[in-house]
Amino acid sequence: MSGVWLPAWTLLVRELTHFVRQRHRILGTIGTPLVFWVLIGSGLSGSFKPASMGPGSASHGMSYLEYFFPGTLVLILLFTAVFSTISIIEDRRAGFLQAVLVAPVPRSAVVLGKVLGGTAVAVLQGIMVLGLGPLGGIHLTIGSALLALVVVMITAFQLTSLGFLIAWRMETTTGFHAIMNLFLIPLWLLSGALFPASGASPWLKTVMMVNPLSYAMGALRAALYPAQSVADLCVPPFGLSMAVTVAATAALFGAGVVMARRTSWAHS
Amino acid sequence: MSEGSAISIQELVVDYGTRRALGPVSFDVAPREVFALLGPNGGGKTTLFRVLTTAFPATGGRAEIRGHDVMRAPDAVRRELGVVFQSPSLDAKLSVRENLWHAGHLYGLSGRALATRIDEVLALVTLSDRGADTVEHLSGGQRRRVELAKGLLHRPALLLLDEPSTGLDPGARRDLWRQLLELRDQTGVTILLTTHILDEAERCDRVGILDRGRLVALDSPAALKRSIRGEVVTVEGDEPVTLRERILARFGGEATVLHNSIRIERPDGAAFVAELMRAFPDDIRAVTVGQPTLEDVFIHVTGRGLWETEQAAAQEGSA
């Protein structure tokens, strides 16, 4: 078995090259969420009064623009993950993937390269948007920004792994869009990106509790507000959030490797 | 198994679900040989190609590349192979060099050794001055040559090409062939390719004809053509079907109707034509006598023309 890193690295570089050459992609992956942020954030600011964030709690007075900011960041990671993994379908149709799969490269390297490539692009965009945090009223320190960056990296890796899992067996990009709308967007909606679990109905609360993305969302909020208690932020403890996020990421990536090994293309 | 074969295939079978796409097929390809798999689309040659490239598992039998089993040791097989697929495998958004650079990494080459090797393969396919060009700006023939360069990067012992001249104009096809044969002479690489173009099969050392998943003939182009004794007489008439029956009734032997003309194999074509013209002066519009071609060989072994078989396959596919 030849090395994993050289082929994985080369696939990652290819992904970044594509990103740099197709700058219009940024419009889709950053532009849309940012427009959502400004429009929804400003529009709902007057009516946003979450139950747990009442008078006396440290987060009282948080505008919706501010509340929605971490949600927007995760939406950008989701969009980027989808954009980069949807290219697997194109690579397969065009023939590029075929050539990769008959090269003496372990399947794990193919998955790793593709997922790291998507992650790198997502993190780059995440950093750009994180820099806009103060506009939404978030006070960034070096510590909180770095911690948030770590969460962004893991979340990006998780979402790209999930995208890979969906895209690998998919024959058309249309199918991917359907899954995006029916599964991925709801996953994000119910992660605490738009509203905290505290005010939601019991069944919704349960769904949000079992949604792994809620923990990535929680970790990001906790990282951005180091001075506040997780109870005030209405998110799970930071340690728990990180543990669930890392575990879900590992499980999704592992599933991607197993699937890539099992398909008819792969019998090594 | 024969020792020292570049490719050794024994009783290989591939099923797609319940449909048998290939086999059982057995043959060997010797080192340095240029070997063509000739046949209509849907004849099984791409299926065989996919098995040899480790892209698709066989249902039964064995296939070995330089002693490595394609099913059991795909990684060892992959290192031996340079593969040029029918569909383009280049990344159109990247430059020629970038494509080769990534491909080199996939085959374990890197750094200065890779850069030098890229220069070499680009020179080999006479594209040294196009390295910086984005692939989407190249012509079809140039892209094909980049694919070839990519397949040669890691100095494979075997080069497998699926329909290499698809989409090439005659000039570009000639260039590609000149380069393939030079390559074999210079580096000793073994070349196996699939084709449905007769002219292409003519240039190979040996040709295996695949029809409906079976290997129906296998020999050098010259020997295959010799297997048709004598010459091929083609008769054109207004009613080829009835004319064929009348010719058979009069002279016996065999005759097939193809492309609205009647095709007859005869040891002495010229003498036969004279008799034919005397017998049916009013029914024959034109007669030609020719040396057998590989198309004649295909008709001889399958009873059908290559082109008609393709049409039928296309109709079946679209139905």
Side-chain angles (χ1 to χ4, degrees), chain A residues 164-253:
Chain A
F164 181 91
L165 215 50
I166 298 168
W168 186 254
R169 301 299 292 269
M170 196 80 46
E171 277 173 20
T172 61
T173 50
T174 333
F176 200 125
H177 286 299
I179 288 189
M180 167 93 182
N181 291 333
L182 287 172
F183 173 66
L184 295 177
I185 294 289
L187 196 73
W188 170 78
L189 285 176
L190 299 179
S191 68
L194 274 176
F195 50 84
S198 56
S201 62
W203 72 270
L204 217 50
K205 236 179 223 169
T206 313
V207 175
M208 289 172 80
M209 216 173 73
V210 298
N211 178 2
L213 200 57
S214 301
Y215 297 86
M217 200 66 240
L220 185 58
R221 286 189 191 282
L224 287 171
Y225 297 99
Q228 294 191 28
S229 74
V230 287
D232 277 351
L233 291 166
C234 202
V235 295
F238 184 70
L240 174 67
S241 289
M242 285 302 275
V244 173
T245 303
V246 169
T249 305
L252 287 168
F253 180 74

Side-chain angles (χ1 to χ4, degrees), chain A residues 1-2 6-7 9-10 13-14 17-18 21-22 94-96 98-105 107 264-265 267-268, chain B residues 53-57 70 74-75 78-79 83 85 87-89 91 93-94 98 101-102 105-110 150:
Chain A
M1 179 181 280
S2 48
L6 184 63
W9 178 71
T10 213
V13 171
R14 171 179 178 249
T17 315
H18 272 243
R21 298 216 176 135
Q22 295 171 277
F96 180 86
Q98 192 164 230
V100 174
L101 293 178
V102 300
V105 170
R107 293 296 176 258
S264 68
W265 279 103
H267 31 98
S268 66
Chain B
T53 54
T54 74
F56 195 81
V70 292
D75 242 39
R78 286 171 186 154
R79 264 189 285 273
V83 182
F85 285 102
S87 52
S89 73
D91 187 328
K93 297 280 174 217
L94 303 185
E98 285 169 332
W101 188 75
H102 287 302
H105 288 157
L106 295 178
Y107 282 87
L109 305 170
S110 61
K150 186 177 151 188

Side-chain angles (χ1 to χ4, degrees), chain B residues 163-232:
Chain B
E163 303 278 356
S165 41
T166 301
L168 295 191
D169 59 52
R173 188 184 300 169
R174 265 196 306 279
D175 284 348
L176 180 71
W177 268 94
R178 185 178 44 73
Q179 281 165 359
L180 281 179
L181 295 175
E182 276 176 16
L183 196 71
R184 189 267 304 267
D185 295 340
Q186 286 165 13
T187 66
V189 68
T190 307
I191 300 177
L192 177 136
L193 57 106
T194 71
T195 183
H196 63 287
I197 300 166
L198 296 156
D199 170 55
E200 209 159 71
E202 291 269 4
R203 299 165 189 257
C204 296
D205 298 327
R206 280 199 304 156
V207 178
I209 298 182
L210 267 180
D211 182 47
R212 299 176 185 179
R214 298 297 193 111
L215 193 66
V216 292
L218 171 66
D219 217 324
S220 68
L224 284 173
K225 286 185 282 189
R226 271 198 308 274
S227 72
I228 295 182
R229 287 162 213 281
E231 290 147 328
V232 175

Side-chain angles (χ1 to χ4, degrees), chain B residues 55-72:
Chain B
F56 195 81
T59 314
R62 284 166 77 84
E64 288 178 358
I65 305 282
R66 286 165 51 93
H68 306 292
D69 190 299
V70 292
M71 297 283 288
R72 292 201 200 114

